[in-house]
Amino acid sequence: MSDHKALVLDATRKYHEDQRDKEPFVPGVTEIWPSGAVLEEEDRLALVEAALEMRIAAGPSSRKFESRFARRLKRRKAHLTNSGSSANLLAMTAFTSHLLQERRLKPGDEVITVAAGFPTTVNPILQNGLVPVFVDVELGTYNTTADRVAQAIGPKTRAIMIAHALGNPFEAAEIAQLAEEHDLFLIEDNCDAVGSTYDGQLTGTFGDITTVSFYPAHHLAMGEGGCVLTSNLALARIVESLRDWGRDCWCEPGESNKCLKRFDYQMGTLPAGYDHKYIFSHVGYNLKATDIQAALGLTQLDKLDRFIDARKRNWRRLRDGLDGLPHLILPEPTRRSDPSWFGFALTVDPEAPFRRAELVDFLEGRKIGTRRLFAGNLTRHPAYIDQPHRVVGDLRNSDVITEQTFWVGIYPGLTDEMTDYIVSSVKEFVAARG
């Protein structure tokens, strides 16, 4: 390391110490965020060092992160993207590739998903000319069930794309079995659930493809960023092509002739020997991440176990503190699961003597941040009302979520004092109106 670089990094350490929040927690004054990144000295150092090396495109940190993250999630291949939303788009689009021949998805094919969720699980279905088939979820777990999915399978069904809700696994083994029996593709949106298990198996390992987000609210933070993972090497190759402009070549940017066949290909109606770096086999995108993002991801990955433990501990502290409180439906882990929680959901019983909005206003007034369970019932949003879709069964619980559900934070930046203040505030509100 050069003397100048060492000086900059040493100054960065001192700067980080100067920027640390040393103010004590003051109930009702200090903001309690529902989510956020926990960024420490080594994270700041990693970002600065990557910047000093001017690694402004994907490079060695990106490749190292992909390799380490794939091993951690027990998948053979991982491809970094610029966001979790892009990861979902790539995952869904991969199944439309001509390389899958008769199994490829075509416009009008149906994909089963849930009505109560985040738009980026549904949007790629529509963006590929496919038809979402919406099913309801359970209150408490906020996931759908294998029975609901089974009832939704029809003659046009070709795939299933579902997110593990707030880190709580859906019935992944049973739904994966349904997919296998009916020759359906399964995409696991694992963006909220890194480290969760179902039947002792990591979520993200049941489907053909899984996706992860590294937005600051999630388990690992890159600022923006996401990842597509699979153990199917053919699908991995398709994902890489789609992410990287649709090109057929697999050389990294800046590499030349790694395969020693760069000028030996003949594809399409191109002349023989056309430069493989500029042969395009898919109508793709540019959805790559940068090495600066990956450098941060690597330091965050070292802390994943600690982050997961903190999320579980904070969730349990809230759950135990609120246990038995009337008029609220408290969250429950899916049977046979061990969630790596994203948030703590609360649903106000429709028969309660108060409404969700009143409780939320009370908490927000005490600087306790809240969030809705994302979009609630997506079929009620203006973006989707006129879009082609099918609904199987009623969406009663999704409507309850739209009206009565919200969540509070359990991310690793919260202290016991903060979670206890959330508990006492909810109890005080319910007692005053019960």
Side-chain angles (χ1 to χ4, degrees):
M1 182 186 298
S2 71
D3 290 343
H4 286 104
K5 182 177 179 180
L7 285 171
V8 171
L9 295 180
D10 186 56
T12 301
R13 292 185 183 92
K14 294 174 182 176
Y15 178 81
H16 182 86
E17 181 63 24
D18 289 343
Q19 297 302 306
R20 286 179 58 194
D21 184 6
K22 303 179 180 68
E23 295 295 322
F25 171 67
V26 180
V29 176
T30 305
E31 295 274 1
I32 301 177
W33 294 101
S35 63
V38 175
L39 300 172
E40 299 169 328
E41 180 182 290
E42 60 270 21
D43 300 307
R44 194 184 296 270
L45 287 170
L47 286 173
V48 170
E49 185 171 15
L52 289 174
E53 298 296 330
M54 298 294 282
R55 300 203 304 266
I56 57 176
S61 291
S62 299
R63 292 189 290 273
K64 184 177 180 180
F65 181 89
E66 288 173 337
S67 176
R68 285 186 56 193
F69 196 60
R71 289 198 302 271
R72 178 60 194 261
L73 267 64
K74 301 186 185 303
R75 301 285 80 186
R76 294 181 69 184
K77 287 288 185 178
H79 287 96
L80 270 174
T81 65
N82 59 0
S83 72
S85 305
S86 294
N88 277 355
L89 176 60
L90 288 170
M92 191 78 260
T93 307
F95 294 112
T96 70
S97 171
H98 63 280
L99 297 180
L100 299 180
Q101 299 178 356
E102 71 277 359
R103 288 203 72 200
R104 69 185 293 193
L105 303 189
K106 298 177 181 178
D109 287 342
E110 293 183 344
V111 181
I112 297 170
T113 189
V114 300
F118 199 74
T120 53
T121 307
V122 175
N123 290 352
I125 301 171
L126 294 165
Q127 288 160 341
N128 278 286
L130 307 168
V131 178
V133 178
F134 292 108
V135 296
D136 206 7
V137 300
E138 295 286 294
L139 297 178
T141 67
Y142 302 98
N143 282 302
T144 194
T145 61
D147 286 343
R148 286 190 175 94
V149 172
Q151 292 168 18
I153 296 173
K156 293 185 177 181
T157 306
R158 300 297 309 284
I160 303 167
M161 185 173 186
I162 306 175
H164 299 286
L166 292 179
N168 195 16
F170 58 76
E171 294 175 345
E174 292 86 345
I175 291 175
Q177 182 63 34
L178 281 172
E180 182 177 354
E181 290 172 356
H182 294 273
D183 195 27
L184 309 177
F185 294 116
L186 174 60
I187 301 173
E188 285 181 81
D189 182 334
N190 204 41
C191 291
D192 292 351
V194 173
S196 294
T197 62
Y198 185 79
D199 277 348
Q201 181 177 333
L202 280 172
T203 56
T205 61
F206 292 88
D208 297 285
I209 287 182
T210 188
T211 59
V212 174
S213 173
F214 303 124
Y215 187 72
H218 293 284
H219 289 61
L220 301 175
M222 289 188 186
E224 296 284 356
C227 198
V228 184
L229 301 103
T230 183
S231 288
N232 183 313
L233 297 184
L235 287 175
R237 181 70 192 91
I238 293 168
V239 167
E240 182 177 41
S241 175
L242 288 166
R243 183 196 63 175
D244 299 0
W245 307 285
R247 67 178 187 159
D248 197 73
C249 181
W250 56 86
C251 290
E252 295 286 340
E255 290 183 343
S256 295
N257 207 20
K258 186 177 181 180
C259 64
L260 303 179
K261 294 174 62 178
R262 178 178 169 187
F263 300 105
D264 294 339
Y265 287 93
Q266 196 289 311
M267 301 180 74
T269 60
L270 293 167
Y274 198 86
D275 190 343
H276 192 224
K277 289 176 71 70
Y278 293 97
I279 295 177
F280 299 90
S281 53
H282 290 94
V283 178
Y285 308 91
N286 179 8
L287 301 176
K288 298 187 300 299
T290 68
D291 235 38
I292 291 177
Q293 290 170 277
L296 175 57
L298 284 167
T299 57
Q300 287 273 293
L301 186 56
D302 289 335
K303 296 177 277 195
L304 180 57
D305 287 332
R306 172 157 58 94
F307 288 167
I308 291 172
D309 289 343
R311 287 175 174 276
K312 291 181 176 181
R313 184 175 62 251
N314 289 340
W315 188 93
R316 176 48 58 187
R317 196 174 186 92
L318 287 174
R319 186 63 177 75
D320 290 346
L322 296 172
D323 192 44
L325 199 63
H327 309 308
L328 295 176
I329 299 172
L330 299 183
E332 296 286 351
T334 302
R335 191 170 61 91
R336 308 200 320 269
S337 76
D338 182 13
S340 172
W341 294 99
F342 178 81
F344 189 92
L346 288 163
T347 296
V348 176
D349 191 301
E351 303 302 318
F354 54 85
R355 305 296 292 169
R356 174 204 51 79
E358 296 174 77
L359 176 52
V360 166
D361 286 346
F362 180 81
L363 295 176
E364 293 280 351
R366 292 191 166 201
K367 304 297 183 181
I368 298 170
T370 66
R371 294 291 185 269
R372 303 305 296 267
L373 186 45
F374 309 129
N377 185 346
L378 279 163
T379 68
R380 296 173 61 177
H381 286 256
Y384 305 97
I385 288 174
D386 294 327
Q387 294 288 344
H389 67 274
R390 186 163 65 88
V391 175
V392 176
D394 62 53
L395 301 178
R396 183 180 305 131
N397 291 337
S398 296
D399 284 332
V400 171
I401 289 168
T402 305
E403 303 291 342
Q404 298 290 80
T405 301
F406 68 99
W407 57 271
V408 295
I410 48 86
Y411 80 103
L414 301 186
T415 64
D416 289 349
E417 195 175 7
M418 291 174 176
T419 55
D420 289 346
Y421 182 61
I422 296 172
V423 169
S424 65
S425 296
V426 174
K427 284 184 169 180
E428 180 180 331
F429 175 89
V430 173
R433 288 159 176 78

